[in-house]
């Protein structure tokens, strides 16, 4: 039997049947219910106000399936998201590398002052060529050079939210905070955050310079932040931004037990999507489908609404290169779950033990790292 390549035909096919979604503020769910595709809620990441849902632009230079999206179409998605109320756009130096920041800068140019731009530093990337070199680099002098390059690529004079993408095990977090504080005084950065850091490092970073946001993978498919990270964010009044809130497409229902992934697609080497584990983990999709029917929504909207219901300072950033998916995702903002429904859904999600790791070991090694202490 031929392998089924990962695709989004099922999700996209249904949604396209509703017509030209870019021209209308409504989208029909699988049950025929019209969900308003605008984001009208606001949330706080520390003291930084953003829309309740953001847009991750990671794949706008190259998709998981390694195809190159149409640049004008990516600009159109970015601009339509803004028109529908999205005010947080998330990029990184490492995406491309560099090219995603250029795409975002081009796309938001007409309304740059009305939005929040987030991007990330920390990988060892050549600033002239964009070549990805081994390891990490959060040396203060390097951070300052990186930010100057970011500003040019993003066509802006400041970065609203600057994250350390991964903790550098060779640089004290206090030194990193000092570099960011310098950039804040220079007016080049407004707020800062950390991604996938160790808990002690987050506490030290916040003591050195108040942290506005933490970014980490978090979804029904991987709930690791519930083991300490969310509690610490709550204690320190730090916002939380889940990346991959739809489980790299899994929670949309676009993947089934026969799905196999193309070479170059990171999901091919994530054991949670292996032929052995995938059938078991599809219990989550079954659960989402049942709730989608119950709430007159789509599985993706239920998955995002569940995240929004966990804490009032959680702001998911689903990414996509498909207009119809972006509109479907932001429809989650209008899905309301009562406290009783959240408790019921939490219990059902907790009963499903996901099998397999979320990332390959070589990539996981960069998560949960604690920064070294400063030499006395």
């Amino acid at each position: 039997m031929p392998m089924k390549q990962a695709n989004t035909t099922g999700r996209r096919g249904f949604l396209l049947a509703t017509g030209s979604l870019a021209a209308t503020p409504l989208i029909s769910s699988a049950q025929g219910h019209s969900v308003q595709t605008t984001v009208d809620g606001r949330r706080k990441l520390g003291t930084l106000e953003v829309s309740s849902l953001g847009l991750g632009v990671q794949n706008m230079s190259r998709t998981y399936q390694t195809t190159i999206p149409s640049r004008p179409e990516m600009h159109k998605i970015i601009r339509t998201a803004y028109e529908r109320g999205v005010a947080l756009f998330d990029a990184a130096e490492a995406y491309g590398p560099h090219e995603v920041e250029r795409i975002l800068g081009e796309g938001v140019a007409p309304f740059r002052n009305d939005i929040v731009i987030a991007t990330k530093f920390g990988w060892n990337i050549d600033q002239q060529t964009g070549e990805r070199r081994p390891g990490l680099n959060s040396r203060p002098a390097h951070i300052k050079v990186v930010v100057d390059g970011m500003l040019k690529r993003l066509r802006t004079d400041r970065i609203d939210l600057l994250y350390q993408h991964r903790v550098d095990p060779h640089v004290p977090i206090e030194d990193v905070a000092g570099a960011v504080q310098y950039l804040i005084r220079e007016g080049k950065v407004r707020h800062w955050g950390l991604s996938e850091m160790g808990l002690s490092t987050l506490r030290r970073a916040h003591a050195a310079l108040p942290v506005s946001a933490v970014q980490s993978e978090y979804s029904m498919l991987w709930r690791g932040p519930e083991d300490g990270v969310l509690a610490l964010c709550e204690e320190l009044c730090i916002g939380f931004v889940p990346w991959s809130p739809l489980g790299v497409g899994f929670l949309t229902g676009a993947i089934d037990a026969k799905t196999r992934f193309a070479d170059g697609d990171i999901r091919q080497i994530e054991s949670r999507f292996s032929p052995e584990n995938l059938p078991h983990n599809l219990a989550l999709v079954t659960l989402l489908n049942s709730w989608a029917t119950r709430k007159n929504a789509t599985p993706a909207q239920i998955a995002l609404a569940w995240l929004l219901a966990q804490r009032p300072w959680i702001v998911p950033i689903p990414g996509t290169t498909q207009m119809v998916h972006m509109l479907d995702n932001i429809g989650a903002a209008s899905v309301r779950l009562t406290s009783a429904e959240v408790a019921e859904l939490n219990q059902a999600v907790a009963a499903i033990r996901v099998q397999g790791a979320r990332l390959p070991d070589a990539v996981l090694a960069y998560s949960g790292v604690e920064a070294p202490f400063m030499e006395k």
Side-chain angles (χ1 to χ4, degrees):
M1 179 178 294
M3 292 191 303
K4 176 182 176 182
Q5 292 292 332
N7 62 73
T8 53
T9 302
R11 182 187 186 202
R12 184 168 65 251
F14 161 73
L15 293 168
L16 284 175
T18 65
S20 179
L21 298 178
T24 175
L26 298 177
I27 187 171
S28 297
S29 74
Q31 289 71 41
H33 177 68
S34 291
V35 177
Q36 186 173 355
T37 57
T38 57
V39 179
D40 52 9
R42 309 288 289 185
R43 294 193 168 198
K44 287 284 190 73
L45 301 175
T47 60
L48 177 62
E49 186 175 270
V50 298
S51 51
S52 58
L53 283 164
L55 178 65
V57 298
Q58 176 179 358
N59 289 335
M60 287 191 172
S61 67
R62 196 209 78 161
T63 68
Y64 287 123
Q65 294 86 3
T66 74
T67 56
I68 306 299
S70 159
R71 202 179 194 93
E73 181 62 17
M74 299 306 98
H75 294 160
K76 186 177 179 181
I77 290 171
I78 289 168
R79 291 169 183 172
T80 302
Y82 165 71
E83 291 166 0
R84 301 300 173 86
V86 174
L88 171 63
F89 294 83
D90 184 271
E93 176 200 22
Y95 304 159
H98 293 173
E99 195 59 23
V100 163
E101 288 179 328
R102 294 189 184 101
I103 293 169
L104 180 59
E106 294 160 3
V108 303
F111 46 84
R112 193 279 168 258
N113 291 332
D114 300 328
I115 64 165
V116 169
I117 291 178
T119 192
K120 314 174 198 70
F121 69 87
W123 295 100
N124 190 14
I125 297 169
D126 185 273
Q127 294 304 293
Q128 279 67 50
T129 66
E131 177 190 1
R132 187 189 296 271
R133 294 174 175 173
L136 300 163
N137 189 346
S138 281
R139 296 191 304 271
H142 182 72
I143 294 171
K144 296 170 186 176
V145 172
V146 168
V147 167
D148 283 341
M150 289 173 165
L151 294 175
K152 291 177 182 176
R153 291 187 294 271
L154 290 165
R155 302 186 178 191
T156 187
D157 61 350
R158 81 280 184 194
I159 294 164
D160 301 299
L161 177 55
L162 179 70
Y163 293 97
Q164 183 187 44
H165 209 156
R166 292 294 187 274
V167 172
D168 189 330
H170 304 295
V171 180
I173 198 64
E174 291 80 5
D175 288 352
V176 176
V180 175
Q181 189 167 42
Y182 170 85
L183 292 164
I184 291 174
R185 288 198 300 264
E186 290 282 296
K188 296 178 179 180
V189 172
R190 293 181 57 219
H191 299 261
W192 85 303
L194 281 77
S195 177
E196 302 266 339
M197 71 292 119
L199 293 180
S200 174
T201 295
L202 176 57
R203 193 178 289 279
R204 289 165 52 200
H206 188 69
L209 179 66
V211 171
S212 293
V214 161
Q215 190 170 127
S216 174
E217 181 173 2
Y218 182 37
S219 71
M220 288 185 178
L221 187 62
W222 192 72
R223 298 170 60 195
E226 295 173 4
D227 295 329
V229 175
L230 293 180
L232 185 54
C233 285
E234 188 158 30
E235 175 191 337
L236 301 178
C237 297
I238 296 171
F240 186 84
V241 178
W243 62 262
S244 201
L246 294 174
V248 283
F250 180 76
L251 300 176
T252 69
I255 293 170
D256 62 26
K258 296 180 180 178
T259 299
R260 300 296 180 266
F261 300 94
D263 291 342
D265 187 326
I266 192 170
R267 293 172 294 186
Q268 188 186 59
I269 53 175
E270 293 180 9
S271 60
R272 59 185 173 180
F273 299 127
S274 70
E276 297 76 24
N277 292 328
L278 193 54
H280 171 86
N281 295 338
L282 282 167
L284 279 173
V285 177
T286 301
L287 175 66
L288 282 167
N289 283 330
S290 68
W291 275 82
T293 300
R294 177 171 167 177
K295 300 297 290 185
N296 291 327
T298 65
Q301 289 167 354
I302 296 297
L304 292 170
W306 175 80
L307 276 174
L308 289 167
Q310 298 306 305
R311 303 288 196 285
W313 34 264
I314 286 179
V315 180
I317 49 168
T320 185
T321 58
Q322 302 287 338
M323 177 72 76
V324 70
H325 293 174
M326 184 274 291
L327 293 171
D328 182 45
N329 293 341
I330 65 176
S334 67
V335 176
R336 300 288 180 259
L337 297 171
T338 68
S339 58
E341 287 174 332
V342 172
E344 180 185 349
L345 188 50
N346 282 344
Q347 184 176 17
V349 172
I352 300 171
R353 186 175 296 275
V354 174
Q355 295 182 358
R358 68 181 179 112
L359 291 167
D361 289 345
V363 181
L364 280 175
Y366 290 101
S367 295
V369 172
E370 302 288 3
F373 286 89
M374 300 178 71
E375 294 183 3
K376 295 182 179 180

